[in-house]
Amino acid sequence: MTGALDSFAPATRAWFTESFHEPTPVQEAAWRAIAGGEHALVVAPTGSGKTLAAFLSAIDRLHHDGPTVDAATGEVPEAAPRATRVLYLSPLKALGVDVERNLRAPLVGIARTAAALGVDVPEVTVGVRSGDTSPTDRRALVKRPPDILITTPESLFLMLTSQARETLAGVETVIVDEIHALAGTKRGAHLALSLERLDELVPRPVQRVGLSATVRPHEEVARFLAGTRPVSIVAPPSGKRFDLRVTVPVDDLGDLSGEAGGSVWPHVEEAILDEVLAHRSTIVFANSRRLAERLTARLNELWVERTAPDEGADADAVTGVGAEGRTDVGAGEVAVVGAAVESQLEASVAARTAPPA
């Protein structure tokens, strides 16, 4: 394979090609921009691999330029100066999904691939700091700074105004995720100031990489990311693909006289359960919270009715969880939500498992 992936170390290349076969267009373009040392704004749809692209570049660089190792012991001396080199910033504290998929997985995978190739790579450490981080954990982050720190704009500001700022003196790359949620807001202005303060702290300006699923206009967001400095905008064209079907659970909606109660709902509920069982994750949007809760309860009942004769299931076998309604039915997970929480659940639930219904 030729292209931007060739600039990575053998272990990184091997892990990626075994896991994904080939990079997406946005990954190719992002890697070229990042490898050239440019500030980069990467705009691409969810699922295009932009977050992994930013992380993989950072991980490969850390593996290339790892900490000094004692020749006699093969270990990093305790007295060796250590500082965070990569900052991942997100306006959301709920970072677990992206971190697990886009950071921890490649770290483990590349280490295993390197071992199989007989190549030594330094361990890359990861830390998380947010408003929920305990004082003990914060002190540990200062005492032994991780190579990659995952944090929020507010926590970065607090670090820059405390003794913890010394741990940021070696930062080389800042990844700003969900940049569309920050640009043009007070939080964004606050972050822009923090990034400038960070540049004053380090020996040379930090490379900034902004990530967004959809944001316009690109030039304005690039200016927010890096001010008057040049920014490489990576936004390859991408068409939206829809798999849209309109289905009716009965042959004739005008003739329900023979149905229980003359209602179509029993058929709708059965059809929804069929979809849940056919997929790993499903989101069901309802018109109201009351309807969402009622449908969640009904799905639980239907699942028990279907499984009880064969598996001895009882009414407590499956339960709905959450403010609106969420349940695990068989091997499938389903979230039943009202209109007010559509966007939150789409991001936090559907992203964890695929393919969704």
Side-chain angles (χ1 to χ4, degrees):
M1 179 184 298
T2 60
L5 191 59
D6 292 335
S7 63
F8 290 127
T12 307
R13 269 199 319 271
W15 172 80
F16 187 90
T17 54
E18 290 171 3
S19 302
F20 302 99
H21 182 59
E22 64 182 11
T24 64
V26 70
Q27 290 174 329
E28 284 272 3
W31 287 333
R32 288 194 178 93
I34 294 171
E38 308 168 26
H39 300 305
L41 172 64
V42 185
V43 183
T46 300
S48 60
K50 58 184 179 295
T51 309
L52 176 59
F55 272 139
L56 200 63
S57 292
I59 292 170
D60 190 70
R61 187 178 301 174
L62 291 171
H63 282 165
H64 272 304
D65 308 319
T68 304
V69 177
D70 187 282
T73 64
E75 298 178 353
V76 179
E78 286 294 328
R82 194 180 185 104
T84 294
R85 294 174 58 189
V86 178
L87 272 179
Y88 171 81
L89 298 171
S90 171
L92 307 174
K93 287 197 296 183
L95 304 172
V97 174
D98 278 344
V99 169
E100 183 67 27
R101 182 174 63 248
N102 296 312
L103 182 57
R104 302 232 179 238
L107 282 175
V108 174
I110 293 170
R112 290 175 178 172
T113 302
L117 295 175
V119 178
D120 291 329
V121 294
E123 178 187 5
V124 175
T125 56
V126 180
V128 179
R129 171 165 174 163
S130 69
D132 298 329
T133 304
S134 68
T136 300
D137 290 338
R138 292 179 189 177
R139 287 192 293 269
L141 290 173
V142 173
K143 183 178 180 180
R144 195 70 173 170
D147 297 306
I148 302 175
L149 179 64
I150 300 159
T151 188
T152 61
E154 290 75 18
S155 290
L156 173 61
F157 169 79
L158 293 175
M159 292 183 70
L160 288 169
T161 56
S162 68
Q163 293 182 345
R165 65 180 175 273
E166 298 304 324
T167 67
L168 303 176
V171 171
E172 300 167 357
T173 304
V174 171
I175 301 170
V176 184
D177 207 351
E178 305 292 338
I179 194 171
H180 61 272
L182 294 167
T185 68
K186 290 182 179 179
R187 293 184 73 196
H190 205 264
L191 173 61
L193 178 60
S194 293
L195 292 177
E196 294 301 322
R197 293 178 63 194
L198 180 63
D199 270 353
E200 292 295 321
L201 181 64
V202 299
R204 58 183 181 182
V206 174
Q207 183 180 28
R208 305 180 187 182
V209 180
L211 308 176
S212 177
T214 173
V215 68
R216 297 288 189 279
H218 297 161
E219 292 74 17
E220 282 299 308
V221 180
R223 191 163 66 89
F224 164 74
L225 176 65
T228 58
R229 307 170 187 86
V231 177
S232 177
I233 298 176
V234 178
S238 59
K240 293 183 178 180
R241 294 178 295 175
F242 295 93
D243 180 7
L244 178 64
R245 289 170 292 164
V246 178
T247 62
V248 179
V250 294
D251 294 332
D252 186 359
L253 285 172
D255 181 16
L256 298 175
S257 57
E259 308 301 332
S263 171
V264 72
W265 271 104
H267 298 279
V268 171
E269 294 159 353
E270 291 281 357
I272 291 174
L273 182 57
D274 290 338
E275 291 292 336
V276 171
L277 296 177
H279 298 81
R280 289 179 57 191
S281 63
T282 308
I283 299 178
V284 181
F285 294 108
N287 288 336
S288 66
R289 175 170 179 158
R290 180 172 178 270
L291 178 58
E293 293 174 344
R294 187 176 67 184
L295 181 56
T296 300
R298 184 58 186 147
L299 290 176
N300 290 325
E301 293 169 358
L302 286 174
W303 169 243
V304 171
E305 291 172 8
R306 289 193 186 186
T307 58
D310 299 325
E311 302 178 18
D314 54 39
D316 296 327
V318 183
T319 58
V321 181
E324 300 291 317
R326 178 173 160 192
T327 182
D328 294 316
V329 179
E333 179 183 56
V334 56
V336 184
V337 301
V341 292
E342 287 181 6
S343 58
Q344 296 93 326
L345 272 161
E346 184 174 0
S348 64
V349 177
R352 292 193 293 127
T353 53

